Every structure is written in C-alpha cells, then in structure tokens.
Amino acid sequence: MDAMEQILREPQVIEITGLSRTTLWRLEQCGCFPRRRRLGGRSVGWLKSEICEWITSRPQAAGREAQRGAKKREGRAS
C-alpha cells in the first residue's frame, strides 16, 4: 500500500459507486467487491485504488439503441 493511499469512507464509496450500503455489504461477502479496512474502533474505509479498479473492471452497459437492435436481429433469426 502506498504511504499516501487515500482511504474512502462509506458515504464516499456509496456516492462513487452508486450502490446502496446493503449492496456493498452483500458484494463484499461474496468476494465481488473490495474488502473494507478497519481503521480503529467502529471506523472502516476502503482503499481508493481498489474501488477505482473495481469500477473500471465492470462491463459497460449497452445503450438502449444497441439493445433494441440486438432484440430485432434475434427476432429475425427465429
């Protein structure tokens, strides 16, 4: 870990990812999201680099036009 690594607190992670608190917890439990780090007492945080890496690893969603075109093509093939 870089000595200057930024720690993100839960509200920041929720804002950056758009995920709810419960979804964060569920994804962590199944190993699909970076684990939180105990900072002391009841404080936890996530490494910013790990959150950024997780975000960039997510597949991009296709636009509505691309989805409609794919559905039309599937319909013709049947």
Side-chain angles (χ1 to χ4, degrees), residues 26-47:
R26 285 181 181 151
L27 289 173
E28 276 185 83
Q29 296 306 303
C30 74
C32 300
F33 193 78
R35 300 289 296 189
R36 62 188 73 204
R37 311 286 173 119
R38 182 147 312 276
L39 304 176
R42 293 175 42 175
S43 299
V44 297
W46 289 260
L47 296 179

Side-chain angles (χ1 to χ4, degrees), residues 4-76:
M4 298 303 288
E5 177 76 48
Q6 187 174 359
I7 303 287
L8 300 177
R9 302 298 292 270
E10 189 171 83
Q12 294 170 301
V13 174
I14 288 170
E15 182 178 339
I16 289 170
T17 63
L19 300 173
S20 71
R21 184 176 190 197
T22 303
T23 300
L24 286 176
W25 182 83
R26 285 181 181 151
L27 289 173
E28 276 185 83
Q29 296 306 303
C30 74
C32 300
F33 193 78
R35 300 289 296 189
R36 62 188 73 204
R37 311 286 173 119
R38 182 147 312 276
L39 304 176
R42 293 175 42 175
S43 299
V44 297
W46 289 260
L47 296 179
K48 183 177 181 180
S49 62
E50 291 180 356
I51 299 302
C52 291
E53 185 178 317
W54 179 84
I55 290 169
T56 57
S57 74
R58 307 301 301 159
Q60 285 189 329
R64 287 186 176 171
E65 296 78 25
Q67 289 175 348
R68 286 186 192 131
K71 286 181 182 178
K72 286 180 183 177
R73 286 189 297 275
E74 289 172 7
R76 284 188 224 144

